Amino acid sequence: MALLFRWLLRIFSGLLFLGLAALAIAYWFAARSLPDYDASFRVEGVEGPVEIVRDNANVPHVFGETDADVFYGLGFAQAQDRLWQMTMLRRTAQGRLSELFGQRTVAIDSLVRRLDLYNAAVRSVEDQTPEARAALEAYADGVNAWLEQVNAGARGRGAPEFWLFSPQIAPWQPADSLAIIKLMGLQLSSHVQSEVLRARTSLALPDARVRDILPDAPGNGITALPDYAALFPDAPRYAKADDAPRDSLSPVMPRSLAGASNAWAAAPSRAAAGGTLLANDPHLGFTAPSIWYLARLELDSGGVIGATIPGVPTILLGRSAELGWGLTSSYLDDQDLHIEKVNPDNSEEVLTPEGYKPLETRTSIIEVAGAEPVTLTLRWSENGPILPGSQYDLGTVTPPGHVASLSWTVLTANDTSYSAAFDLMRAKSVEEGIAASETFIGPSQNLTLADGESIALKMIGAMPRRADAHQSKGRMPTPGWLSRNRWQGRLPYASNPEFVDPTGGILGNTNNKLLDRPFPLHVSYNWGDTQRIQRWRRLMQNREVHTRESFIEAQLDTVSPTARSLLPLIAADLWFTGEAAPDGTPARQRQRALSLLAEWNGEMNEHLPEPLIYATWLRMLQERLIRDDLGPLADEFAHVEPLFIERVFRDTGGASAWCDVVQSARTETCEEMARLSLDDALIWLEENYGRALESLRWGDAHQATHDHQVLGDTPILKWFVNIRQSTSGGDFTLQRGMTAGTEPEPFNNVHGAGYRGVYDFADPESSVFITATGQSGHPLSSHYDDLGELWRRGEYIPMSLDPELARAGAVGITHLRPR
């Protein structure tokens, strides 16, 4: 026995040693790609010395003798920190993911190839201004200079992920940067999904019920929207959608996660220090690392500092000494789906107003790792690219003998959006900023501006010109062969909503409806917010003057106006009612939950139990209201629709009919639905978190999921590359923490403010900003997640253009000198 024990101990020790040795070797190889920020390099392509000063948060401050040298330095710095992320963004935009990931990503590549994003970017390079094109070329040279250093200096292939996947990296091209802008447009788009969902719902429900579950934003609505079945009598009344889970690498976001943001500004008359204020926090899906990369550029026109997207050489969100700018999703309806009638005698022709015409076609080959290449036949009608029924669930609304095509401003080949963003960095006033943005095409945004004296909000991006007689007014797919459904060019820039120096001295946008204008100048019928704007208006009006701190307080506000408005409605007949119930019974548990909610102020605080009880209750309530009417289509409504629930419990237009279970003989009331759904919620909470309601924590369920898009699901590795944080906020709070909406963790925080910035032009150097993870994309770097804890606690880092301040706490200074 002793001999056996000794041998087992030796075997165990040997295996342990081998395991530790393997880990040490893996760590050594992975750590080789950690850049040395205190280094000097001889490079080709710069006219003079370039200095990259990385402050104590690892934000690069780039100095050079010319603007081209500065953009060269930015490309070098971003490649040092985010090379894997940049190449993944480029591969996604090119439709080349399957070369690494095999069959898993063929559908993603197929969609991107059909949209032809990358070729549109290539054709747009020559349309940029000479200055913007020079910046793109210098930036590409900077990226390639770091690639040269990686290859020559055995720097661990540039990122640890390249040890697991092909290390071959093509040189960076100016078109790559433009393609990433178009890719962001794809991530921010939601109107295709909305059109398909409205059409599917129209096929399942009468028009009045469609208006309940998909209500218009408050304001004038449409009274004569056609029934989809009337447009296409042969459309399937119900066709099963693809229920495969969304791949983490897909750039197409679910309808409710397609983009959101906050931005607001105060004029000097409403600012305590007498200068303008601007706050901005764009909301995107969480990833590790964040999509945002902080940087400062010292240009001939002056210093600019703020947030960039790795791969794109411009400060998209930020400030100079004279001007600050922020972006929010405008929700402009810049997409239209068309149903094209195929010639029964020639499948390569579709009907147009002038008769049948041939489709434009081209083949494209997708290389697939571990499998045979896939050959696609790409087709375009006069309205845009033809998309297969498997994309966007188009097969559920496309009748036999027809195909679907897409018109979209982002597919413009002569796209000058980058030049507009480049010129915005050099603008010195609100007026110049608005003028610089005229050539911006897409994705459309609301641009909030503040200089020393003025504030403004201007929607930027091309607005499609639609005919007054458009059959669905852009809200559902329409026959593409009818002239009245086709786009007729673009509206002039002056048609884009604009607000300059409002009388009240405050302006802002939470993706809410901007203005009331009749179609086709309406901007959109689908808006990203009807709730957060209520809380924002109250916070702005409660103070006569504002400060940087009050703007920060508003950014971090976690009070839910939705909870405050809906709880009194759904619990109106349940508060403090019923007989006393013994402990351990469902009735007693219900009373305890209602007692907690009765004392709650609607704050979605991570340390409280009430937000979790409330969120679970509303989720179960909506499920009970819609499941019997919509069947499997109810899965498309993964998030609570507050306007729908309000309509039901106020019985607006007879909407209380949703409370009746269609399949049952008796007529159920809304009070019963509220009580039964509360019981459902309590059972779900007990199964997942236990019976002790008072000990529940919203933050346990509301974890921010900054997951690595490639390795985030890999056993063992996911514990090193994913960043999880307990967070406050919710779907409808200003500190927005959008939930996943689907099992098994429906309340995970998957979408929110990856960047926050507050700019004070009474004292510009006191401006602050933060991102949700860190500057580095290397999991072994101390800067991979060092900003994340500050972000979670609602803290910021200084946003200073003072070069001496950057040098004082620098973690390293990189010097680039001409070879």
Side-chain angles (χ1 to χ4, degrees), residues 187-449:
Q187 291 184 344
L188 293 171
S189 64
S190 63
H191 286 278
V192 169
Q193 296 95 313
S194 295
E195 286 192 33
V196 172
L197 181 60
R198 187 175 290 275
R200 294 178 66 195
T201 309
S202 175
L203 291 169
L205 296 173
D207 185 53
R209 305 293 289 278
V210 175
R211 289 198 299 268
D212 289 335
I213 191 65
L214 292 171
D216 298 323
N220 295 329
I222 301 176
T223 57
L225 183 69
D227 178 52
Y228 191 70
L231 295 177
F232 300 101
D234 295 333
R237 287 292 172 172
Y238 178 76
K240 182 171 175 55
D242 179 14
D243 55 1
R246 174 184 172 272
D247 194 291
S248 61
L249 292 171
S250 174
V252 178
M253 303 297 288
R255 177 180 62 101
S256 55
L257 301 179
S261 317
N262 296 321
W264 45 83
S269 61
R270 294 295 301 276
T276 57
L277 291 162
L278 191 153
N280 182 215
D281 54 293
H283 306 161
L284 290 170
F286 288 145
T287 58
S290 167
I291 189 62
W292 300 111
Y293 181 86
L294 304 178
R296 177 265 185 86
L297 309 177
E298 190 63 34
L299 304 175
D300 290 342
S301 56
V304 290
I305 187 169
T308 70
I309 290 176
V312 182
T314 186
I315 303 293
L316 286 171
L317 317 161
R319 71 170 187 91
S320 63
E322 299 87 5
L323 181 68
W325 58 95
L327 298 173
T328 57
S329 294
S330 72
Y331 279 79
L332 168 68
D333 187 0
D334 56 4
Q335 295 179 314
D336 267 1
L337 281 171
H338 304 278
I339 303 300
E340 311 275 10
K341 182 181 292 186
V342 178
N343 186 346
D345 299 322
N346 185 349
S347 62
E348 296 300 315
E349 293 183 346
V350 295
L351 187 61
T352 73
E354 293 80 33
Y356 286 107
K357 290 185 178 180
L359 296 167
E360 178 187 344
T361 63
R362 189 175 78 234
T363 59
S364 183
I365 299 175
I366 300 175
E367 299 292 338
V368 183
E372 293 297 315
V374 174
T375 301
L376 300 177
T377 300
L378 312 182
R379 295 179 172 86
W380 289 266
S381 73
E382 293 178 345
N383 291 311
I386 302 296
L387 300 180
S390 58
Q391 300 287 354
Y392 294 109
D393 294 328
L394 288 169
T396 64
V397 297
T398 305
H402 296 73
V403 293
S405 66
L406 173 65
S407 296
W408 187 21
T409 57
V410 169
L411 302 182
T412 302
N414 56 336
D415 189 342
T416 52
S417 298
Y418 174 74
S419 293
F422 179 85
D423 290 342
L424 179 61
M425 285 193 300
R426 300 148 61 96
K428 301 295 185 182
S429 67
V430 164
E431 183 179 3
E432 289 183 14
I434 292 175
S437 303
E438 182 170 1
T439 57
F440 191 88
I441 304 298
S444 176
Q445 300 285 293
N446 289 326
L447 174 66
T448 304
L449 295 163

